[in-house]
Amino acid sequence: QFFVFCHGLLQLSQLLVSGYLKSSISTIERRYGLSSQTSGLLASFNEVGNTLLIVFVSYFGSRVHRPRLIGCGAILVSLAGFLMSLPHFITGPYKYDQSVASAFSNVTDLCRPGAPGPRGNLSGAACTPRTARENHEVLLVMFIAQALLGIGGVPIQPFGISYIDDFASERNSPLYLGILFSVTVIGPGVAFMLGSAMLRLYVDVDKVSGDRVQLTHKDPRWVGAWWLGFLVAASLVALSAVPYFFFPREMPREVGGGCRFPLFLSDFPLVLLRNLRHPVYLLVVLAQVNLSAMVAGLATFMGKFLERQFSLTASLANMIIGAVNIPGAMVGIVVGGAILKRFQMSLKQCSAMCVLGMLLCLLVAFPLLFLGCPTQRVAGVTYSVSPGPGRGSEGCSLPCTCPEDAYNPVCGADAIEYVSPCSAGCQVVNVGADSSVLNYTGCICISGGWNVGSAEPGTCGTGCSHLFVPFVVLSCLAGILASTSHTPSFMLILRSIQPEDKSLAVGVQFMLLRVLAWMPGPVLYGSAIDTTCILWEKQCGRKAACRYYDNTLFRHRYLGLQLFFEAGAF
């Protein structure tokens, strides 16, 4: 029982490390100028190390000191977590365009008619060979950390499960494994809640005093303390690893023991072919591949989707996913298992239940395509402005000689968003007692000519918050319905193959899920999201993070992919 407790704790903290990346992915994109395709590749990269080793490790299971190997794996996972936060310490403080000259810089992004030549902007000013190298180093460190995370995670689950199954009584084993399984479902929820808490703190909370930060966490330029969660999670993993070095290689078995099926390498190709030629096994695994691909894209980019569609902060988006969507999926899994047990279902009834669950899920998820917000009106990006002396979106701010790549959105009194105060032609900034920006005045491009125009800091938002609650309710319901098919589909696999093939069949199933769903899934979703970008940030002449998406296209492509995989599973 103590081993089960330790293993539950270790699995929870391991999932905190891997789940936390997904909760802070949009923040890391903004901080280091990554496209969604790159961040999707980063999110799925831990599967590479994992997939390469999982079959070998499962094979050597009974011949090694399992608890110690689990401990070593946990140390690697902990190291990976600490490595993930390293980029924060090797790069300089976060720079953003601002209107108030600060201790860092006297560059401002206000309109200065008659100022000589186009001005540089603060965030792009430091384009030296060193910053370009820094960016490559950041990516390299993160990819290495993700690979280590995958390798370290290899012994944890299979060895833990087989160790418990070997030494627990047959009666208690399902209960213990059920406890571990519920932990693996809770883990990501806890990770998103941790993300929600950490992203409320400013990224350079350790480098810059609070009074010098001119942003609030509602500002589109805000970057939260993404690195802090990795330190918390990695420390927890390191603590959880300690007891494993003191467990014995073998335990006295609880009364009424089970048995294990040894797996020999010579049988491996035969057993593999036998399972892959089994139509039920193959089709159910393919259905699970579709479901896993859907979940992979959801887990990685759902936060970003909610932020962009409904103008939420990263912190609130994580809170919704951690407190609503993930518990919803847990409810679905538990309900599916309970129905199976209550009605003692045959294999045909199991498959009928999976089909029904997926059909209902499709029906509930379809309306989501239409529940979302239009793209906000952004001058010169999605909307051409005509007031002001210059006429035309560029014309009115021409005398201002604006920085080319400035990004400090303001919302004009005309309800049109401008990429920076300069592009709105604002000449005066009014600052509060705590040095936060109250508003901008004298904005030439905002209806009313030279003196009348005023603007508020921050984006105008997408202005359809009334659709947010229906969206969350429907997506949660779709998640519950899809996850009712989780347990019956596992039962279909376990009951349709020969008993001696079980452990290998489950290993092959997980390997196929990784190779066909968890690895390509996030990259596929990220690439689809990138195609909907309408304004890219430029860093040192290369495309960096996306600043504005076509919201309707984003919704159709992101949720369309989801529906595609749900239909595939059905």
Side-chain angles (χ1 to χ4, degrees):
Q1 284 165 347
F2 183 59
F3 184 88
V4 172
F5 169 75
C6 289
H7 208 62
L9 196 63
L10 176 62
Q11 283 200 335
L12 181 69
S13 39
Q14 177 203 0
L15 283 162
L16 266 188
V17 178
S18 55
Y20 183 77
L21 173 68
K22 293 179 171 62
S23 77
S24 51
I25 203 113
S26 64
T27 300
I28 293 173
E29 279 181 19
R30 194 173 305 143
R31 174 66 182 89
Y32 295 109
L34 309 181
S35 67
S36 292
Q37 187 181 28
T38 308
S39 64
L41 184 62
L42 179 66
S44 64
F45 205 70
N46 62 323
E47 303 294 352
V48 175
N50 203 305
T51 310
L52 293 175
L53 291 175
I54 194 101
V55 174
F56 289 106
V57 168
S58 305
Y59 168 61
F60 286 114
S62 51
R63 310 173 184 198
V64 290
H65 194 307
R66 284 173 287 181
R68 272 187 204 157
L69 260 181
I70 293 173
C72 295
I75 298 290
L76 271 186
V77 169
S78 169
L79 180 66
F82 287 121
L83 260 184
M84 278 304 289
S85 65
L86 183 65
H88 170 73
F89 300 100
I90 58 175
T91 53
Y94 170 54
K95 295 188 171 74
Y96 52 89
D97 296 326
Q98 47 199 125
S99 311
V100 184
S102 69
F104 294 122
S105 158
N106 57 3
V107 176
T108 86
D109 53 11
L110 290 175
C111 176
R112 294 270 182 267
R119 303 175 315 205
N121 53 299
L122 187 54
S123 59
C127 191
T128 58
R130 183 170 175 274
T131 34
R133 194 178 72 243
E134 232 176 39
N135 260 354
H136 287 134
E137 282 166 6
V138 162
L139 270 180
L140 184 66
V141 167
M142 285 184 159
F143 274 104
I144 290 172
Q146 280 290 90
L148 274 182
L149 177 62
I151 293 167
V154 168
I156 294 177
Q157 212 176 2
F159 283 1
I161 288 173
S162 65
Y163 192 79
I164 289 168
D165 199 41
D166 280 0
F167 304 118
S169 69
E170 275 186 347
R171 218 179 87 225
N172 289 343
S173 179
L175 169 71
Y176 296 151
L177 296 181
I179 291 169
L180 289 185
F181 190 68
S182 59
V183 167
T184 60
V185 183
I186 297 165
V190 179
F192 275 95
M193 298 303 265
L194 177 68
S196 175
M198 294 305 170
L199 296 181
R200 283 171 179 270
L201 302 169
Y202 183 61
V203 61
D204 291 324
V205 69
D206 58 329
K207 301 177 183 174
V208 177
S209 61
D211 50 338
R212 281 162 63 184
V213 179
Q214 297 170 10
L215 301 178
T216 67
H217 69 275
K218 291 189 173 153
D219 193 293
R221 295 162 298 161
W222 173 266
V223 169
W226 61 272
W227 51 277
L228 205 50
F230 284 115
L231 294 183
V232 172
S235 308
L236 269 175
V237 176
L239 279 176
S240 316
V242 175
Y244 285 92
F245 294 100
F246 302 99
F247 279 110
R249 180 174 180 146
E250 294 188 347
M251 274 190 195
R253 178 173 290 145
E254 277 188 331
V255 184
C259 60
R260 265 191 107 227
F261 303 109
L263 168 66
F264 296 107
L265 210 55
S266 54
D267 300 342
F268 183 78
L270 290 172
V271 180
L272 185 64
L273 275 174
R274 187 162 68 217
N275 283 333
L276 289 181
R277 287 212 308 266
H278 195 301
V280 176
Y281 174 79
L282 192 62
L283 289 169
V284 174
V285 168
L286 283 178
Q288 289 187 338
V289 163
N290 277 284
L291 272 180
S292 299
M294 177 195 89
V295 174
L298 267 186
T300 314
F301 293 113
M302 189 60 164
K304 179 177 184 140
F305 176 78
L306 292 176
E307 285 171 47
R308 298 294 179 152
Q309 283 290 322
F310 301 103
S311 306
L312 305 185
T313 62
S315 170
L316 180 59
N318 279 338
M319 174 91 89
I320 298 291
I321 297 168
V324 180
N325 288 61
I326 291 175
M330 279 175 65
V331 168
I333 291 173
V334 171
V335 167
I339 293 174
L340 264 189
K341 187 166 185 261
R342 172 76 182 77
F343 297 106
Q344 296 290 317
M345 291 186 157
S346 67
L347 285 189
K348 271 192 173 162
Q349 289 169 322
C350 278
S351 59
M353 183 176 157
C354 292
V355 168
L356 182 66
M358 287 317 300
L359 179 65
L360 292 174
C361 167
L362 271 169
L363 293 176
V364 170
F366 186 70
L368 292 175
L369 282 173
F370 310 100
L371 281 181
C373 307
T375 315
Q376 62 263 57
R377 299 191 298 170
V378 184
V381 179
T382 62
Y383 186 79
S384 52
V385 198
S386 50
R391 302 256 172 247
S393 61
E394 301 300 317
C396 56
S397 59
L398 269 180
C400 300
T401 57
C402 293
E404 203 175 304
D405 197 35
Y407 182 64
N408 176 6
V410 297
C411 184
D414 52 1
I416 292 169
E417 190 171 312
Y418 296 83
V419 182
S420 70
C422 186
S423 63
C426 301
Q427 300 172 67
V428 182
V429 57
N430 303 307
V431 181
D434 58 351
S435 83
S436 63
V437 173
L438 298 176
N439 66 352
Y440 298 92
T441 49
C443 306
I444 353 171
C445 297
I446 297 171
S447 322
W450 277 87
N451 296 317
V452 186
S454 69
E456 304 279 322
T459 74
C460 292
T462 45
C464 65
S465 49
H466 58 288
L467 293 175
F468 176 56
V469 173
F471 182 91
V472 170
V473 169
L474 276 182
S475 71
C476 182
L477 196 56
I480 292 174
L481 290 167
S483 46
T484 51
S485 64
H486 185 276
T487 313
S489 68
F490 261 99
M491 286 289 104
L492 275 171
I493 285 178
L494 292 174
R495 288 190 200 161
S496 65
I497 52 182
Q498 296 176 12
E500 66 273 17
D501 293 354
K502 259 183 209 177
S503 43
L504 181 74
V506 172
V508 170
Q509 171 201 4
F510 278 114
M511 194 177 80
L512 287 173
L513 290 184
R514 285 206 159 91
V515 174
L516 300 177
W518 293 105
M519 277 159 68
V523 184
L524 183 68
Y525 273 87
S527 307
I529 291 170
D530 280 344
T531 62
T532 67
C533 183
I534 44 181
L535 181 68
W536 289 95
E537 171 196 355
K538 292 273 193 295
Q539 271 185 10
C540 305
R542 69 172 181 91
K543 267 199 315 195
C546 183
R547 282 178 174 164
Y548 290 104
Y549 290 95
D550 178 327
N551 269 355
T552 312
L553 258 185
F554 188 164
R555 184 173 68 254
H556 288 165
R557 291 194 182 160
Y558 180 66
L559 297 177
L561 262 177
Q562 219 187 300
L563 276 172
F564 171 77
F565 287 126
E566 283 164 5
F570 170 68

